[in-house]
Amino acid sequence: MAEALRQTAPEALPADAVPDTAKRRQILDGARQVFLSQGFDGASMNDVARVANVSKGTLYVYFPSKEALFEAFIREEKRQQAEQICRIDAEDIAFGAVLQRFARNFLTVLTRPEALAHMRTVLGIASKNPAIGLAYYEAGPRHGIAYIAGQIRRQQEAGVLRVEDAEEAAAVFLDLTKSGLFGKLLFCPDLGTSAEEIDRHAERATRLFLRLYAV
């Protein structure tokens, strides 16, 4: 059945040849509604076409399969989240404040119910669809590591930090930030969190990181 659908669907454009048009945005908005309400397994391309108000033929022109659509959806969601997390004027505040603000933004976004739902979905399908797991990693954790690593290198040059590997130190900081909170919410979604708890974790992660690497 799946093979028959692939044969009858219009030929899809290469991923890097598809412009970010209003139609593509319309499809991704519809996909967001469907994936959030039905999950990956429960969603269908018919559902997305209906909610996005496009024909099935148009949908397949942009995305050849549900997996490709979900991958694009994940990349777009994580891109928007990264913009929120990294919205910091790092030139005007001390490095410790940069770290703490990043940690607070990071946890605020990461602990939202929809973000946790995405993580659970990706974890459930990544072994069968490695491209989706890679998309999540590249647009999420890898992006955060690159941003923090860039901040760390500047502090190395200024003589503030003593770090052998900036990417490794950045990964340590993200792990410190998530520690004790993210896992609890990932597996116990009904527990919830508060701004005060997020602030405490952000402050603790920053303090521990500076103890490890500050000159």
Side-chain angles (χ1 to χ4, degrees), residues 11-19 60-62 64:
E11 183 178 354
L13 299 173
D16 58 357
V18 179
Y60 275 107
V61 166
Y62 284 88

Side-chain angles (χ1 to χ4, degrees), residues 8 10 13 15 17 42 71 76 78 80 85 106-107 132 139 143-144 146 148 188 194-195 204 214:
T8 57
L13 299 173
E71 179 182 341
E76 177 63 15
K78 301 305 290 183
Q80 294 179 13
I85 293 169
F106 177 61
L107 284 175
I132 291 175
H143 184 93
I148 292 297
C188 308
S194 65
R204 183 196 66 180

Side-chain angles (χ1 to χ4, degrees), residues 176-190:
L176 287 172
T177 301
K178 294 186 295 183
S179 177
L181 180 61
F182 175 66
K184 177 183 72 174
L185 296 176
L186 182 64
F187 297 108
C188 308
D190 294 336

Side-chain angles (χ1 to χ4, degrees), residues 70-96:
F70 188 72
E71 179 182 341
F73 160 69
I74 285 293
R75 288 188 182 276
E76 177 63 15
E77 287 287 295
K78 301 305 290 183
R79 182 191 66 79
Q80 294 179 13
Q81 291 175 7
E83 289 179 356
Q84 298 176 48
I85 293 169
C86 300
R87 196 175 296 153
I88 301 170
D89 191 354
E91 302 299 324
D92 293 339
I93 56 178
F95 180 59

Side-chain angles (χ1 to χ4, degrees), residues 161-175:
L161 298 179
R162 185 182 293 111
V163 176
E164 294 182 1
D165 187 313
E167 280 78 15
E168 181 181 277
V172 167
F173 178 68
L174 292 185
D175 287 342

